[in-house]
Amino acid sequence: ANASGWIGSYVLAANQTDIQSLVTKTLSGGTRWNTLDPRHERALSALFYDDQQYPDGATSSHSHALYVEAEQYFRETDVLLAPTRGWMASLQLGGGIPGASTRGFGRVIGRYAAWLPIDSLTQLAFRADAGAVLAPTRDGIPSPLLFRTGGDTTVRGYAFDSLGVKLGNAIVGGRYYAVGSTELIRWIGESRGLATFIDAGNAT
């Protein structure tokens, strides 16, 4: 940290995944700087991605990008880790630098969540996320910067990252996604509860 209230971190990673018949090999490295205010956090990051994708039943691809991004978070909740009242929102704006990326592109993600207590044991929770990659095609854009959804933290009832673009026998990332959720929670203990929820979403 420094006197202006920013703290920096550095990332160097090599990942290989095999999800939904898509084998992905990604090398990434860069830096992220964020402010120390947890309720109104700002962040700046610059990362380089080198990405190879091997979809089952389709042609493999290789792409790279020098990606820069600015983030802004707003949190107006009773507590930060497990809120029961209030709201939070965030906006991410970024892009792949032309000439240093396979193709230049823009990227935007917005998120909103709210918690509304009905009584001391009952709570409503709302969540909405949406994002877009601003480019004429998904080709040439590293897979970590595209969108897939599905799973316990997004669209429950669907396997992890099973919602996206069909390519051969695989599900790959798309340029657009939207996810929404409404949940009614009835607490029966300090850490246990029963929930009824509706989730909806897709990536395309």
Side-chain angles (χ1 to χ4, degrees), residues 82-108:
T84 61
R85 180 191 302 270
W87 61 272
M88 68 82 62
S90 67
L91 179 65
Q92 297 170 237
L93 297 173
I97 304 300
S101 307
T102 308
R103 71 162 60 246
F105 62 93
R107 188 170 181 263
V108 58

Side-chain angles (χ1 to χ4, degrees), residues 130-136 146-148 164-165 173-178 202-204:
V133 170
L134 309 176
L146 296 167
F147 305 113
R148 290 188 290 178
V165 176
R175 287 180 291 147
Y176 308 100
Y177 91 106
N202 210 342
T204 185

Side-chain angles (χ1 to χ4, degrees), residues 149-178:
T149 190
D152 291 345
T153 61
T154 55
V155 185
R156 290 164 283 192
Y158 289 83
F160 179 70
D161 276 357
S162 64
L163 300 175
V165 176
K166 184 77 170 178
L167 182 64
N169 302 315
I171 300 297
V172 301
R175 287 180 291 147
Y176 308 100
Y177 91 106

Side-chain angles (χ1 to χ4, degrees), residues 1 6-12 29-35 41 43-47 71:
W6 290 76
I7 187 168
S9 59
Y10 300 91
V11 177
L12 182 62
T31 183
R32 184 178 188 271
W33 291 79
N34 61 284
T35 59
E41 180 186 0
L44 299 170
S45 58
L47 290 163
E71 306 165 58

